[in-house]
Structure formats: C-alpha cells, structure tokens
Amino acid sequence: MDTLTLSRIQFALTSAFHFLYVPLTIGLAVFIAIMEYRYWRTRDPIWDKMARFWTKLLAINFAIGVASGITLEFQFGTNWANYSRFVGDIFGAPLAAEGVFAFFLESTFIGLLLFGRNRISPFMRFFAALMVALGTNLSAFWILAANSWQQTPAGYQIEGGRAVLTSFVEAVFNPSTVPRFLHTIAASYITAAFFVTGISAYYLLKKRNEDIAVPSLKLAFIFGLTFTLLQILLGHNHARQVAYTQPAKLAAFEAQWETEGAAPLLLFALPDPASERNTLEVGLPGMLSWLVHGDTQGTIQGLKEFRPELRPPVAPLFFAYRLMVLLGLYLAIVMLWGAYLWLRGQLTTRSSFLKVLFYSIPVPYVASQLGWLVTEVGRQPWIVYGLLKTAQAVSPLPASQVLTTLVAFTVFYVILFGIFLFLMFREVKGYDIGPDVKEQLKVSEVTGVHSSYGVR
Amino acid sequence: MTLNTIWFILVMVLLAGYAVLDGFDLGVGVLYPWLAREDKERRALLTALGPFWDGNEVWLLTGGGALFAAFPLVYATVFSGFYLALMLVLFALILRAVAIEYRNKFVEKKETLDLAFFLGSLLPALLFGVAVGNVARGIPLDAGQNYAGTFWTLLNPYSLLLGLVGLAAFILQGATYAMIKTKGEIYQRARIIGGSAWWALVGLYLLATLYSAIEARHLFANYTKTPVIYVFPLLLWVGLVVTYAALRRDKALTAFVGSSLSLAGMVATMAAGMYPNMVFATDPALNLTIYNASSSPLTLKTMFIIAVLGVPLVLLYTAYVYYVFRGKAEEMEESY
C-alpha cells in the first residue's frame, strides 16, 4: 500500500477513535454543569452526589479524548504537510483559536472539578463545570469551522499556489459551519443523554442507587427527547446545505445517478458504479426533490454530471447514510416512547423501557461514526472541496514509516479502548452509595471498588 | 516591529510557557522511580500534578496550533520531516496521559502504568531538545521544503547533546516543583536530585554552548551584531544562580522560579540566536524564515487579535487554579 492510502487510513482511524470520546465529553459536561448549578441553588446533597458520580465517568472519558486529540493536531503536519502548506493561512487560525479559547478553558477548569470540590465554594464548582462545558462546546465550534472550510471553502483567494485568507469571518462562518456545528452538538447531547439514561436505567433495573438514578434519568431524558427530535430538523437542514454546496456528495449518498426532477428518495438500492445506475431501487417518488427543494418536481443533480474521478464512492455512502438516519429515527422513537411513559408516570419504572435504554447506549456512537464517514468520504477525492485533491496533499514519507505508525496506532488504540471499557464497566457496576450520605463522605473508600478522586 | 517578528516572539513565548509548565510534569515523570518508592508516595506525586498537567499540556497544543497558523510552512516541514520522532513523542504523551489518569483506577496494572508514566515523560523530555538541536544546527531540505534526511540523521551528536540539556533542565524543573508540592522523604530526595541536576545542567549547557560554536556558528551571528540580546543568556544564568542558592537554603518556591527563569532563558537564548530563521537548512538558501514560511499579514493580524483576547484570560484562570491548589499534595482532600 502506498503512503497516500496508508495516511488516509491512519487519519480515518485516529479521528474515528477520537470521536468515540468527544461527544460524551461535550454532552456530559453540560449535564454536570446543570447538576452543580442545582446543588449551588438548592444545596440538596442529591445533586452533589450526582455530580460526583457522573464526573468520575467524565474523567475516564476525558483522558483518552485529550490524548487522542493531540494525535489529530499533529497529523495535519506529519502526514498532510502539503495540505498544511496549502491551507495553513486559513486552517491554522481556527485551530489556534481552539487552543487559546477552548482547550485551555476545559483542561484548566477540569482540574477544579476533579480535585477541588472541597476547596471551592458550590458556586465556583458550578462555574468550573460551566467552563468545562463551555470549553468543550467552543472547541467543537472551532474545529468544525476548520473542517467545514474544507467542505465549503470561503473567505479566501489563491495566491502563489496557496489559499490565502481574505476574510476571517467568511472563512469561519462558511456555508457549512453552522449546519455542521449544530448537527454535531445535537449528536453529542444525544450521545450523553443515552449514556446517562442507559446507566441510570441499569441501576433502576438492579434496584441500586435509585436516589441518583431517577433524577439523572429525568434530566438526561429531557435532553434526549429535545435533541433527538431537533436532530431530525438539524440533519435535514444539513443535508439541504450539502445539496446546494456539495452536489456530488449528495448525489453519492442518495445514489442519484441522473440529473432529474421528481427524484425519488431511495430507501434501498444496489448501486452499480460501472454502469452508472442502480440495479435495484426501492424508493418514495419525488421525495428527494421535495426534501431538498420543498417541491416534488425540483431538480437534483446526478453523479453523471461529474467526471468519474470526481465522484465519491457510492455504495458505502449510500448505506452509511441510510443507516445513520435509521438509527437517528430509532433514538427519537425511544425518546417519544419515554415521553408517553412519563405522561403516565412510568418513565422510571417500566422495565421494558429501561432495558431498551440500557441497550441503546451504543446507538448514538454508531450513528456518529456513520455520519463522519459520510461527510468525510463524501468529500473525496477532495481534501478541500474543489480546490485541492487528497492525493496532492499527503506528506512525501516512506510508506514503511506510515505503515509502522498505522500499526502502532491500531494496537495502541485497541488496547486503550479495552481499558476504557473495563474501567467504565467497573466504575458503574461497583458504584453504590449507602443510605447515609454524610457517613459515606467521611469514608475514604466510597465504593467497593478502589476509588480515585476519593475524599480522604 | 513586523507582525512576523511579533509572531516569532509569541510562538517562542508559547514554547517557553510549555517548557516551564509541562516541564515540571515531565521532570516529575522522569524522576518518578527515584522520588517515589512506595504506593503512597507515588499517589502523592501524581496528585501533585493532578489538577495541572492537562492544562499544562495545552501549551504544546496551542503552540503547535499557533505554529500552524502563523508559520504553516515550518509546521509542515518540521512535523513531516521529523515523522517517526514526533510520532514517538505523540505515543509517549498519550501513554503519559493515560498513565496519570488511570493508574489509580486500573489498580491491577499499577506497575505497568508507573512504567508508562516514566517512559511517557522521559521520551518527550529528551526528544524536544533533540528537535530543537536539529532545527538550530540545520537539516537537509529539498527544493520542495521537505526533509531530505532519515530518522537517524536526527540523532546526530549535537542534537543529542541538546536533548540532554533539555532533559537536565526538565529534571531540575521537576525536582524543584516536587519540593514545593511534597514533604518528608519525597522532598528530601527531590532536593538532593535537584542539586545533582543543577550541576549536570550547567555542565551540559556549557558543553552545548562550546559545541554550538563549532557545529552551529550561525547561532552566534545575532549576538555579535546586536549585543543587547545577551540579556537572555544573562537571565538564564541569573535563574541558575538563584536556583542554586535557593536549593541550598531549602527555598522551594524560589528554586522553582529560578529554574523556570533559566528554562525560559534557554528558549529565549536559542530563539534570539536563530531569529529570523525558524529552521536552518544545510543549504542556507533553503532556510525557513519568519518571512518565507509565514502566513499572510491578514492571518497574522487576526491571530494577534485572538491571542491578545485569549491569552491574558488564560493566564488569569491558570493562576487561579494554581492558587486553589497551593500547598502540599499530601494534604489535598481529593487525590488520585
């Protein structure tokens, strides 16, 4: 395999791995900020307990999130030096802004959350949690602004073979930044919501820690319901933006070969790139046109309008996209079921629902990965849509070196993920706060499991 | 003063900040097997780093981001050119992060994670100096600004020496920090090691200066032209003297400040010698400078505004967090 392919696989692998941790951090930080807020306002020890518990899980998650993030910042330079030279005038600034405004904020204040509970006032604890939440969400904004610039470049001109900034605001707020940011943030809150409801459901099923499980489930449920429903709109809005700004990408993930009006929304198809058609199609007539244009007769550009070498791969995108949407709808349905149960006072007691919540924890993770696959593979063969091909952007490294690091990352990350799961499972299974909170807080071992961040 | 020069200074400030702050994290990690002999001591030492290490590491991320934004051609050439070495640093940093956070959760593998913490600190502490040595001495570049050497070319004696200088400086920084944040046995060990590290650093630094006169004479050109920049090596030596005196008088905080000053002084000394070059090439015509490797004036200006808005805030709340956790690690209510 050549340097280009290996570098692409490595970047895909390392960013997919990073994104196993990021959404949970973004969402959970917000939940914890709310819990700390409630504790500050009410001084009810339940909120304190909840905040402490979920912060322990956040800590396990945060560590690998940070560690795997450095990999990505380095990789633009290590493996994509020609990309960095071409876009550095524009792409570097949001990354630096991410560091200055967001990384410092989250990484500094998390120290207070993890170690400083008893040294700062409840208000400062809330403030610290709020800063961590703000930092993670801001971080998402900046990196998505940069990544969106790759998709829909704006605010630049080409000078001397490089992209040169003409307007920072236009570059940052390019046509896809806001849709992609909102879509990703919603996905993060959904991930955190299902994580929290799932674990809370687990406790309720086991009849343990009900005092924190009930309010946790309710809080997370509100986020889950809100954002799974909102996501339908945000996803739709994002797809419309893709239709207008990256027509080849939309054509690929909709397996739309011909430019036509009244384009059907394909629910299933078997794309045949060699003959530039689908050998099988099952779809809703006119619905793709309707989704994109609000008019069932609207024209959708087909893949055949683009030269074959400028088309992204169709089958992976088509199926990944459909599956992502399916999973998203599934999550919304689960939340709607919960809403129905809440109206009947059974949100925290219907065991079938609780089981579904528990087993649904991984679903947002899968959906997110699929989404990233669609957006990044859908951008191929471009690394900057319409300006620079991925093939032109790679560093001239010996393939053997890249193979070495790729193998190293794979092994390393698999082991890390295993440790992560092990620690998460143990933290959740071992956690049991007895009836008397005050007594527990005096004891150095809060759980049956060895506890770090323990109160002495 | 041009924007390019301003950004040269800012990038160096970020790197100096990283050296001073994550320097003590790395230093403690390198000294870990000697400072802490039993579990209680290990937990105390990790707790001494606990609230700070993550924020400290961000200085590297932001420094890298600023380098990318202000001097993308340097970022591209150095990061791809030093590929395997940088990847080693990266793996080490990941290892370190996981070791610190998981050591007391994954108790079955305590010893393994202790080793991971040590190695994850040793490798970067050594390799950062090696990287600096290479860009200062000169690396082979081709016409496309790509590195034309191999991994082993990077391990030349000059760069290895600078690597050792950096290592000694980080060890001293870690030792003085450990003196501030611990007491009893750990404190005593740190004090003794600090003393030895001081002598090692002075010796290695003098050797490196001599060797530079042979291998990297171009670094002295600015000093001849503009003697006022001797203030940087002066600061460096003032820092070293202060550290020495403070170590002897058991003044941990003063020693740490002195060590920090000498570290910052080292970065400044090297930077002043390299200016306006950021990467020397074996063929000087191919040097990457703050002019030929930078971003456009608009980008530099925009970035400057971002820095002016963001950095003072960062310093403020960073200082606050250090203040909250003042005192000995053994006395912290929450720990690893």
Side-chain angles (χ1 to χ4, degrees):
Chain A
M1 267 201 250
D2 64 342
T3 301
L4 175 64
T5 312
L6 290 167
S7 294
R8 285 183 65 185
I9 296 173
Q10 185 173 281
F11 201 91
L13 180 92
T14 51
S15 36
F17 183 78
H18 181 55
F19 212 72
L20 286 176
Y21 306 92
V22 165
L24 182 62
T25 295
I26 293 175
L28 195 53
V30 173
F31 295 176
I32 291 170
I34 293 174
M35 292 170 195
E36 293 285 8
Y37 175 78
R38 296 299 314 241
Y39 179 65
W40 168 50
R41 300 299 279 174
T42 67
R43 299 302 159 98
D44 184 347
I46 266 301
W47 293 106
D48 177 46
K49 239 164 121 174
M50 283 163 71
R52 284 174 189 269
F53 172 70
W54 294 110
T55 301
K56 280 202 176 194
L57 300 186
L58 177 70
I60 297 174
N61 195 64
F62 192 83
I64 305 193
V66 165
S68 56
I70 311 176
T71 306
L72 296 177
E73 192 191 271
F74 277 25
Q75 230 175 140
F76 296 120
T78 57
N79 289 74
W80 302 97
N82 287 320
Y83 169 76
S84 301
R85 290 179 180 122
F86 184 79
V87 305
D89 200 57
I90 299 161
F91 192 83
L95 253 58
E98 190 186 9
V100 168
F101 293 129
F103 287 151
F104 271 123
L105 202 61
E106 65 181 22
S107 295
T108 308
F109 280 98
I110 197 137
L112 285 181
L113 266 193
L114 299 181
F115 293 93
R117 294 208 120 81
N118 294 346
R119 290 197 169 204
I120 56 181
S121 65
F123 170 72
M124 273 316 295
R125 284 169 47 174
F126 158 60
F127 186 76
L130 188 65
M131 290 302 103
V132 174
L134 182 63
T136 55
N137 282 263
L138 261 179
S139 171
F141 174 76
W142 286 110
I143 191 59
L144 284 170
N147 181 242
S148 299
W149 189 85
Q150 290 178 265
Q151 309 279 358
T152 55
Y156 72 97
Q157 68 193 24
I158 303 291
E159 257 176 47
R162 289 167 61 186
V164 173
L165 188 72
T166 56
S167 162
F168 185 67
V169 173
E170 272 182 43
V172 169
F173 289 97
N174 59 71
S176 58
T177 296
V178 174
R180 297 174 88 241
F181 172 67
L182 293 175
H183 190 49
T184 309
I185 288 296
S188 302
Y189 295 158
I190 293 170
T191 305
F194 274 86
F195 180 81
V196 172
T197 55
I199 291 174
S200 303
Y202 168 79
Y203 283 142
L204 290 171
L205 285 165
K206 299 280 180 193
K207 308 231 184 293
R208 288 170 53 197
N209 303 324
E210 282 137 314
D211 55 346
I212 62 167
V214 168
S216 296
L217 197 152
K218 285 187 174 162
L219 172 65
F221 172 77
I222 294 170
F223 270 84
L225 180 67
T226 310
F227 285 97
T228 48
L229 295 177
L230 205 59
Q231 188 69 305
I232 297 172
L233 291 169
L234 293 173
H236 169 65
N237 180 53
H238 180 21
R240 288 188 68 219
Q241 165 260 312
V242 172
Y244 291 125
T245 58
Q246 297 176 295
K249 185 192 269 189
L250 185 100
F253 70 66
E254 295 291 351
Q256 181 73 27
W257 293 98
E258 304 291 342
T259 299
E260 56 182 357
L265 180 67
L266 299 179
L267 301 174
F268 184 82
L270 291 175
D272 183 2
S275 39
E276 295 183 320
R277 53 183 274 276
N278 300 321
T279 49
L280 174 67
E281 281 188 6
V282 176
L284 303 169
M287 286 311 290
L288 183 58
S289 296
W290 185 79
L291 281 172
V292 173
H293 297 293
D295 171 10
T296 51
Q297 300 303 314
T299 308
I300 303 290
Q301 277 178 287
L303 276 169
K304 284 164 81 165
E305 269 203 46
F306 305 95
R307 297 201 317 269
E309 64 270 19
L310 295 182
R311 300 173 198 166
V314 178
L317 293 180
F318 178 77
F319 288 109
Y321 186 79
R322 250 119 279 276
L323 186 56
M324 174 190 73
V325 174
L326 208 64
L327 293 178
L329 290 172
Y330 163 78
L331 294 173
I333 290 169
V334 170
M335 287 290 122
L336 285 170
W337 181 18
Y340 165 75
L341 289 174
W342 196 337
L343 289 172
R344 302 192 46 182
Q346 293 175 356
L347 178 72
T348 58
T349 51
R350 178 75 75 92
S351 70
S352 54
F353 177 67
L354 295 176
K355 285 199 188 120
V356 165
L357 281 181
F358 177 68
Y359 288 113
S360 298
I361 294 177
V363 175
Y365 285 89
V366 177
S368 296
Q369 296 290 338
L370 291 169
W372 276 107
L373 192 152
V374 172
T375 190
E376 297 293 279
V377 175
R379 192 193 57 225
Q380 303 301 330
W382 302 102
I383 193 166
V384 181
Y385 198 76
L387 292 182
L388 187 72
K389 299 264 182 57
T390 309
Q392 300 167 288
V394 74
S395 301
L397 296 167
S400 57
Q401 287 191 7
V402 186
L403 182 61
T404 307
T405 54
L406 174 58
V407 169
F409 274 121
T410 309
V411 171
F412 212 55
Y413 279 175
V414 165
I415 294 175
L416 275 183
F417 187 63
I419 298 175
F420 166 77
L421 283 180
F422 173 71
L423 290 177
M424 276 292 194
F425 272 83
R426 190 157 72 174
E427 195 72 47
V428 170
K429 285 173 83 166
Y431 193 85
D432 205 310
I433 278 201
D436 192 342
V437 178
K438 264 167 74 178
E439 203 60 61
Q440 288 296 329
L441 289 179
K442 282 209 218 101
V443 174
S444 63
E445 296 268 340
V446 177
T447 70
V449 177
H450 184 112
S451 73
S452 55
Y453 308 123
V455 180
R456 280 177 181 277
Chain B
M1 192 181 277
T2 63
L3 273 168
N4 304 61
T5 301
I6 291 175
W7 268 103
F8 176 81
I9 296 171
L10 283 176
V11 169
M12 292 305 150
V13 166
L14 284 167
L15 292 179
Y18 175 73
V20 166
L21 292 174
D22 212 21
F24 73 69
D25 294 320
L26 292 174
V28 167
V30 172
L31 292 176
Y32 190 61
W34 292 275
L35 284 179
R37 306 288 168 84
E38 43 169 60
D39 191 56
K40 199 170 64 126
E41 293 175 336
R42 299 198 157 170
R43 295 180 65 174
L45 215 50
L46 285 171
T47 304
L49 302 180
F52 314 112
W53 76 268
D54 201 339
N56 291 346
E57 199 174 60
V58 174
W59 286 78
L60 181 67
L61 281 165
T62 307
L67 189 67
F68 191 1
F71 304 107
L73 302 185
V74 174
Y75 170 80
T77 297
V78 172
F79 276 56
S80 61
F82 296 1
Y83 187 71
L84 285 179
L86 255 168
M87 284 289 171
L88 262 174
V89 170
L90 186 57
F91 281 109
L93 289 176
I94 299 175
L95 206 60
R96 181 181 72 144
V98 171
I100 295 177
E101 289 296 323
Y102 287 2
R103 191 231 179 233
N104 293 300
K105 295 185 195 291
F106 198 10
V107 287
E108 297 87 336
K109 297 286 179 198
K110 249 193 287 208
E111 269 85 47
T112 313
L113 288 171
D114 282 335
L115 182 64
F117 177 51
F118 169 68
L119 286 174
S121 305
L122 179 66
L123 272 167
L126 182 63
L127 290 175
F128 283 136
V130 173
V132 170
N134 275 293
V135 300
R137 170 178 175 260
I139 53 175
L141 291 180
D142 67 17
Q145 293 187 338
N146 290 304
Y147 177 66
T150 68
F151 173 70
W152 303 106
T153 320
L154 296 174
L155 301 181
N156 50 78
Y158 180 77
S159 302
L160 285 172
L161 178 60
L162 287 212
L164 289 174
V165 172
L167 181 62
F170 289 138
I171 288 177
L172 181 63
Q173 187 76 343
T176 53
Y177 181 77
M179 285 172 66
I180 300 177
K181 299 301 280 185
T182 63
K183 49 189 188 178
E185 294 268 341
I186 311 180
Y187 174 91
Q188 293 304 331
R189 292 183 198 128
R191 188 167 174 272
I192 297 170
I193 294 178
S196 312
W198 189 91
W199 286 105
L201 177 58
V202 166
L204 285 166
Y205 183 76
L206 287 170
L207 205 61
T209 310
L210 272 167
Y211 201 2
S212 298
I214 307 169
E215 275 284 297
R217 303 217 59 171
H218 46 263
L219 293 175
F220 292 88
N222 290 344
Y223 282 91
T224 324
K225 260 197 315 198
T226 325
V228 70
I229 60 176
Y230 272 105
V231 67
F232 298 123
L234 182 66
L235 276 170
L236 188 168
W237 284 104
V238 165
L240 283 172
V241 167
V242 165
T243 312
Y244 181 78
L247 277 173
R248 293 193 57 176
R249 289 177 179 75
D250 271 307
K251 298 254 180 241
L253 185 59
T254 314
F256 179 75
V257 169
S259 174
S260 305
L261 192 62
S262 68
L263 248 178
M266 264 178 242
V267 174
T269 301
M270 180 56 92
M274 288 182 67
Y275 178 86
N277 301 287
M278 295 200 75
V279 177
F280 283 97
T282 43
D283 175 3
L286 296 172
N287 285 358
L288 296 180
T289 72
I290 62 174
Y291 299 108
N292 69 18
S294 79
S295 292
S296 65
L298 178 60
T299 298
L300 293 180
K301 195 165 66 143
T302 311
M303 287 289 309
F304 184 66
I305 296 170
I306 290 174
V308 164
L309 288 174
V311 174
L313 220 59
V314 169
L315 294 174
L316 205 70
Y317 58 68
T318 303
Y320 171 70
V321 173
Y322 275 95
Y323 175 72
V324 167
F325 292 106
R326 64 196 181 283
K328 303 289 177 184
E330 293 92 334
E331 288 153 15
M332 269 172 61
E333 303 80 16
E334 303 212 51
S335 64
Y336 277 123

